[in-house]
Amino acid sequence: MSEESEESVPLLPLQQESMASALFNTDQNDNSERRRHDNSERRRNDNPGSETNGQPQNNIQQVVEDEEEDEELTLKYGAKHVIMLFVPVTLCMVVVVATIKSVSFYTRKDGQLIYTPFTEETETIGQRALNSILNAAIMISVIIVMTILLVVLYKYRCYKVIHGWLIISSLLLLFFFSFIYLGEVFKTYNVAMDYITVALMIWNFGVVGMICIHWKGPLRLQQAYLIMISALMALVFIKYLPEWTAWLILAVISVYDLVAVLCPKGPLRMLVETAQERNETLFPALIYSSTMVWLVNMAEEDPEAQRKASKNSTYDKQANQPQNGDAEPDDGGFSQEWQQQRDNRIGPIESTPESRAAVQALPSNSQTSEDPEERGVKLGLGDFIFYSVLVGKASATASGDWNTTLACFVAILIGLCLTLLLLAIFKKALPALPISITFGLVFYFATDNLVQPFMDQLAFHQFYI
Amino acid sequence: MTLAVFFGCTFIAFGPALSLFLFTIARDPLRIIILIAGAFFWLVSLLLSSLIWFIAVKASDPRDEALQRGLLIFGVMFSVLLQEAFRFLYYKLLRKAIEGLVALSEDGCSPISIQQMAYVAGVGFGLMSGAFSMINLLADALGPGTVGIHGDSQLYFLTSAFMTMVLIFLHTFWGILFFHGCENQRWWEIAAVVLMHLAVSGSTFWNPLYVGSLVPSYLLMAAAAVWAYLLSGGSAQNLRRFLLCKCLVKGDGDLSGRPWG
């Protein structure tokens, strides 16, 4: 395997996850009132066709919005939505940790990325610290430049370029990285394999992945693919980022996430606002969505009809998709996915010609699925990637091993829970990285340096606390 | 060691807790969150107590064996007290959370009661405590080696597993007792929990004389189990009805002698 191919991980996947990491979901107040009214009617109705995780949590009161008062403390997301995010985040981390623990390829040092040119094998600690700071600075500037480039491209409606960029990066992840992963797994378990079988497997895996992520497919399959590509990306980072650089990058990127999403001139905020003005969806393959909203029963109320977004589920909408992609250059193939992202920001509210057409084609007496509990929750793939990088690095390099991994895992989940709570209270786009990564970093260093010696001594004497 | 040891010890230590989780907690998202938050609180208490121990060790002579052992014992006791303090803090937090849940609810009552929260919080504490005690051992059990080759006890893994199991159960019951004591202002219940915890941890100082640590711990666990069951509304009658599979008045064939209902 050539050094070049290993080192030159392209910009594209980096950009992908830097974009995705900042976005989160929210709900704007102006639309929430109208939705509240419908929610109160629909709350009582059971929705058999929803694709949520099937738990009859209709009595989770946190999520239900009060129909009378607008100013009542209402939480848009409840316990159920937290769990809908816990599960995929946990799965991604489990995949990464399992791979790190079994496949030695991802813990072997085989050079560094071109974005982190300074080595950490230096004589003095000061030199190492300086090098890692420089590496982190370079990586973060690359990410910032790419983000700004993306925002500029989006603002000037160069959708084809963006779309092509994303397709190339998902192609790379789904074919090339998974081929390397498969190869390393086979090497670890000493499985004899021929190229023809591998070619067939990778081809099928990759093509189905491209279809699921960029077009439409079963929800669970799409979620599984998104988790897998996040895990693959996280593994690449764990392998190619030297230690101190990795921790520094994690810290700096959570600060960047905070700034980019919350500051008025932050690139991600501008991106989200531009997309909102244009009533468009954001990029496909960057957001993990936990549920599909079925586009059912909007015909009763016209404003309601206009606000219902359809994700990759209803056939009417999807049938309209290709035509609209050509007919309306504004949408450029993004409309469907953007609605996914919009669902986060302002709930499933979307007004697009195809959704209205689809809605009018439906019978008017079917139940709507716009239950608060059925509303999905979304998390950017960048968040998945960086959470998994943290936990993976903890399991790879910690002296406390499993204790440290477990501590980081719990810390990240609690951070995610708190972020969702803040999201439910403040109802605007929030960065998902800062709280979790801060907790994760604090617990990593504390557990590795303080708790591990203590637990070691306790285990040695077999004392129990 | 072998896979048999690994799986055996895993299931001894975590089997009951896992089934408790699967049957009572996994279905309700709110309980899962309370569980993980409980684990987090235990973790924070462990962090703080290790910090204190670490400082004490760094300030002392590392070659003095007796001193180090003494410091470790002090660390254990301090950790126990800190764990109970964090249990109290968690109780305060959950009380506030119940008020929030009531405010947000449609019909003015919380979807989960403080007793259920007590149980889940106890399981959370117990699972995290057990995981931290046991996981590194289990990872080592998968690898090569002979237990006790230098003259130590050969039952190391087995007794660790049993001790972990009893601690998980104890944390669950202590959670119930502690929260009940806080709710009803019965300070002697809280004191009893703290003393029990100190006693159980203290009994492990007898290790490797396992009779001195496992037997008292299991006896204390049985006592705590009975007490928690009575406090949760159980009675001998309930138990009899449950064991004989008798239904209550609305009986539709299911076992309805459980305290939670």
Side-chain angles (χ1 to χ4, degrees), chain B:
Chain B
M1 293 136 295
T2 60
L3 269 184
V5 171
F6 172 75
F7 280 112
C9 289
T10 307
F11 290 131
I12 290 175
F14 295 114
L18 196 66
S19 27
L20 281 179
F21 174 78
L22 279 176
F23 289 124
T24 57
I25 299 178
R27 293 194 179 275
D28 188 353
L30 202 51
R31 293 184 193 178
I32 298 182
I33 295 175
I34 296 177
L35 182 92
I36 301 208
F40 181 73
F41 269 75
W42 186 90
L43 196 59
V44 175
S45 84
L46 177 68
L47 214 101
L48 292 176
S49 49
S50 346
L51 178 67
I52 303 291
W53 175 82
F54 191 77
I55 293 175
V57 161
K58 285 298 176 201
S60 69
D61 180 13
R63 285 157 307 193
D64 189 349
E65 287 296 330
L67 178 65
Q68 294 302 318
R69 192 184 161 93
L71 278 179
L72 196 63
I73 292 180
F74 159 71
V76 168
M77 295 290 132
F78 185 74
S79 175
V80 166
L81 293 174
L82 212 56
Q83 281 177 48
E84 298 304 325
F86 269 82
R87 208 195 294 271
F88 181 70
L89 284 175
Y90 195 40
Y91 163 75
K92 283 281 179 220
L93 181 72
L94 286 178
R95 262 256 74 104
K96 280 223 161 47
I98 281 203
E99 289 165 23
L101 286 174
V102 166
L104 290 167
S105 75
E106 280 186 313
D107 47 4
C109 70
S110 160
I112 188 172
S113 70
I114 190 77
Q115 289 89 357
Q116 290 170 343
M117 281 183 169
Y119 162 70
V120 175
V123 176
F125 267 60
L127 271 176
M128 202 59 178
S129 157
F132 259 65
S133 315
M134 201 61 197
I135 280 204
N136 275 334
L137 256 65
L138 289 175
D140 285 338
L142 269 176
T146 307
V147 190
I149 197 171
H150 290 298
D152 303 303
S153 164
Q154 289 186 345
L155 296 173
Y156 184 78
F157 285 130
L158 215 53
T159 50
S160 299
F162 277 107
M163 197 67 209
T164 305
M165 173 175 78
V166 83
L167 259 181
I168 296 181
F169 271 134
L170 276 171
H171 270 291
T172 311
F173 302 136
W174 287 335
I176 301 175
L177 295 173
F178 196 95
F179 279 42
H180 185 265
C182 290
E183 275 289 293
N184 303 45
Q185 317 290 18
R186 294 205 201 156
W187 307 115
W188 56 275
E189 278 179 11
I190 300 175
V193 167
V194 176
L195 285 173
M196 261 198 274
H197 198 165
L198 284 170
V200 168
S201 285
S203 73
T204 63
F205 298 153
W206 288 108
N207 283 337
L209 188 67
Y210 295 122
V211 146
S213 70
L214 282 176
V215 170
S217 307
Y218 273 89
L219 290 175
L220 276 174
M221 181 193 86
V226 168
W227 195 2
Y229 183 62
L230 291 173
L231 281 184
S232 312
S235 63
Q237 220 183 2
N238 277 344
L239 193 59
R240 223 180 90 249
R241 248 186 265 147
F242 170 74
L243 289 173
L244 296 176
C245 296
K246 281 216 181 80
C247 314
L248 288 183
V249 180
K250 55 181 189 296
D252 47 349
D254 63 339
L255 307 173
S256 34
R258 297 166 298 174
W260 311 116

Side-chain angles (χ1 to χ4, degrees), chain A residues 152-190:
Chain A
V152 161
L153 279 176
Y154 190 71
K155 249 186 147 53
Y156 291 109
R157 300 174 188 264
C158 310
Y159 296 123
K160 300 290 182 199
V161 177
I162 298 177
H163 211 190
W165 189 354
L166 285 174
I167 293 216
I168 291 180
S169 53
S170 359
L171 271 175
L172 198 76
L173 273 171
L174 282 170
F175 287 94
F176 185 55
F177 287 168
S178 53
F179 170 66
I180 293 180
Y181 180 82
L182 199 62
E184 292 306 322
V185 169
F186 286 149
K187 279 187 212 168
T188 305
Y189 291 106
N190 210 13

Side-chain angles (χ1 to χ4, degrees), chain A residues 6 13 56 59 62 111 124 133 216 240 259-260 263 268 317 327 342 346 369-370 376 386 391 397:
Chain A
E6 281 178 282
N59 55 356
Q62 278 175 315
T124 64
I133 291 176
K216 64 187 170 188
Y240 288 112
V259 163
C263 286
L268 293 173
K317 183 147 173 57
R342 272 278 299 248
I346 45 187
S369 71
E370 200 25 56
F386 284 111
V391 174
T397 59

